[in-house]
Amino acid sequence: MATKPVKFGLFGNEFPPMEAALESFRRADRHGWQFLDLPDQIMSTHPLGMLTAPVPSADPAAPTSFYSEAWFGSMEMCAAASVLTENLEILLAVIDPLRRSPAVMAQEMMTLQHMSKGRMTFAIGAGEEKQFKPFGEVRTKPFTRLEEAAAIWQTLWQSGGEPITRESEFWPLTDAIFPIPAWEGGPPQLLFVGGGPRIQRLAGTVGNGWLTYLPGGSGNDNAWLADYIRGIREHAEKVGRDPEALRFNAQVVTVLAEDDKTAWELARHPNPGWIAVTAASIDASKTWEKWGFEHPLGNFNWAQDINPMLATPERVAEMTAEIPEQVTDFALVWGGPQRVAGRVQEMIDAGINEVSFFNMAASAEPEYGRHWAEQISQVITLLGGEPLRP
């Protein structure tokens, strides 16, 4: 089976000041990154007060590939990236289709496809409770709604401006007119996010592939990862689609430093530690149990339970100091360039063909962001990619 070339991207700056965030997009384009990953969030994944901007204080426009507690709007930042960059593919990952109506999203998504001249991809998930309950939103039948929203987008995008009437449990269309013409190169691409057989089917039959975060999305099990990707390819083949055209994107949780010793010290900081606690997998407590450890938060599921009010920073520091070393090792891709490249290569060997790097080292020590471009360029080169041009 042929192997697709691997693409490398980074997490975009979506935090204040706005001028620096916009300049970081231009710089990422000049540096030679292949895509920019801009997620849709309102509240942080970390308890309130833990995260600051992951950039050196003297260089707030540095594209260091992580986030802070403050989030600018994802659609708006994608629009900015569309007009400020020329070469970057733009990935909005992850966004849910439950808090916006499918018709509104279809309009926004096709607008961005025109604005970016065909560079948009949307990674679609079933949402996190922290985006819903605190803001008065209700998250019901999330995966059924996700599948139905995608069907409505496709219906509107393919309507050619003709009135559409379509039954739906959630969003029936009655003489609905979608007059935006399709982008000449096709609609935005869709990656489906999550696990289980339903997402596996949708990724192969409806979407252009699948997105996950690693190591947590596989519970650090690359055999499972390869099998899941194989299943997506099989679904594509069954409906006459080319499995070789599918995209398999991994947001890789990386603690990268100049050497393994420094990286390990950064990995044991509470900010990366919180990811090892909450995002060892979607069902983090079950994964800790599989690894032989009791989870400090009891029965914990990311989508249902993650919340910035879950603990105080002081409690997190106590909790993460007690994380077993094996859990840190399994849940985070840590090390110097050689070690990090080795872990990522295992993911690529399992079928991943796009890598979006999360720079957890800068979450632990923002000033460490000044080393990111040089160090990650070494990783990319070791993986067979072109070095960056910072």
Side-chain angles (χ1 to χ4, degrees), residues 275-286:
I275 296 297
V277 170
T278 59
S281 71
I282 294 296
D283 290 316
S285 53
K286 293 180 181 178

Side-chain angles (χ1 to χ4, degrees), residues 75-98:
M75 293 282 190
E76 294 81 359
M77 297 306 280
C78 284
S82 295
V83 299
L84 292 175
T85 67
E86 297 180 0
N87 304 303
L88 284 168
E89 296 180 21
I90 303 167
L91 171 63
L92 202 171
V94 176
I95 188 170
D96 73 77
L98 283 67

Side-chain angles (χ1 to χ4, degrees), residues 20-70:
L22 298 181
E23 177 57 24
S24 75
F25 298 168
R26 299 185 187 97
R27 285 172 62 175
D29 201 21
R30 295 195 301 269
H31 289 180
W33 287 99
Q34 290 167 287
F35 66 89
L36 186 69
D37 185 347
L38 296 166
D40 184 70
Q41 294 284 320
I42 300 176
M43 294 198 300
S44 177
T45 58
H46 283 64
L48 189 64
M50 287 186 67
L51 291 181
T52 56
V55 292
S57 58
D59 188 9
T64 62
S65 205
F66 206 64
Y67 51 84
S68 76
E69 287 185 348

Side-chain angles (χ1 to χ4, degrees), residues 16 19 111 122 125 140 241 275 280 282 305 383 390:
E19 295 78 8
T111 298
F122 296 85
T140 58
R241 304 180 79 195
I275 296 297
I282 294 296
D305 301 322
L383 294 170

Side-chain angles (χ1 to χ4, degrees), residues 120-370:
M120 285 302 308
T121 297
F122 296 85
I124 310 302
E128 303 162 337
E129 188 63 25
K130 74 178 180 66
Q131 306 284 87
F132 287 77
K133 187 175 180 180
F135 302 101
E137 299 279 355
V138 178
R139 184 174 179 260
T140 58
K141 296 185 178 181
F143 289 96
T144 302
R145 287 176 179 268
L146 179 152
E147 184 169 359
E148 180 65 4
I152 291 173
W153 297 336
Q154 302 284 9
T155 298
L156 294 174
W157 291 339
Q158 296 168 11
S159 67
E162 296 297 319
I164 294 293
T165 296
R166 181 183 182 277
E167 293 298 319
S168 171
E169 178 183 357
F170 309 108
W171 303 287
L173 303 178
T174 305
D175 288 336
I177 299 173
F178 189 83
I180 299 177
W183 170 251
E184 59 189 25
Q189 295 210 353
L190 301 178
L191 304 180
F192 283 86
V193 181
R198 190 172 199 165
I199 293 297
Q200 191 177 46
R201 170 180 58 82
L202 289 171
T205 60
V206 176
N208 302 97
W210 179 59
L211 180 143
T212 188
Y213 75 99
L214 294 177
S218 68
N220 195 46
D221 185 343
N222 287 321
W224 177 92
L225 178 65
D227 186 64
Y228 195 83
I229 289 174
R230 190 178 305 113
I232 294 173
R233 292 178 180 275
E234 290 172 356
H235 278 294
E237 287 184 305
K238 287 177 183 177
V239 296
R241 304 180 79 195
D242 179 8
E244 291 302 309
L246 294 175
R247 299 165 57 184
F248 299 100
N249 187 296
Q251 298 175 324
V252 179
V253 183
T254 306
V255 185
L256 174 64
E258 62 271 18
D259 54 55
D260 292 352
K261 180 179 182 295
T262 305
W264 180 255
E265 292 170 353
L266 291 165
R268 296 293 293 180
H269 184 279
N271 283 342
W274 184 245
I275 296 297
V277 170
T278 59
S281 71
I282 294 296
D283 290 316
S285 53
K286 293 180 181 178
T287 297
W288 273 53
E289 182 180 350
K290 183 180 73 172
W291 292 340
F293 303 102
E294 182 179 352
H295 197 274
L297 293 174
N299 185 18
F300 183 87
N301 176 283
W302 174 278
Q304 297 172 10
D305 301 322
I306 193 67
N307 193 305
M309 301 305 294
L310 196 59
T312 64
E314 293 76 20
R315 174 65 185 120
V316 174
E318 296 171 358
M319 192 184 308
T320 54
E322 300 300 321
I323 295 175
E325 291 187 353
Q326 184 180 355
V327 170
T328 300
D329 186 32
F330 284 176
L332 303 170
V333 176
W334 64 274
Q338 193 79 39
R339 191 179 193 282
V340 166
R343 288 281 299 274
V344 176
Q345 184 62 57
E346 292 173 358
M347 301 168 186
I348 293 170
D349 292 342
I352 293 299
N353 53 35
E354 299 180 6
V355 179
S356 178
F357 289 105
F358 284 18
N359 180 13
M360 293 298 305
S363 81
E365 174 47 69
E367 293 302 315
Y368 209 82
R370 66 167 59 94

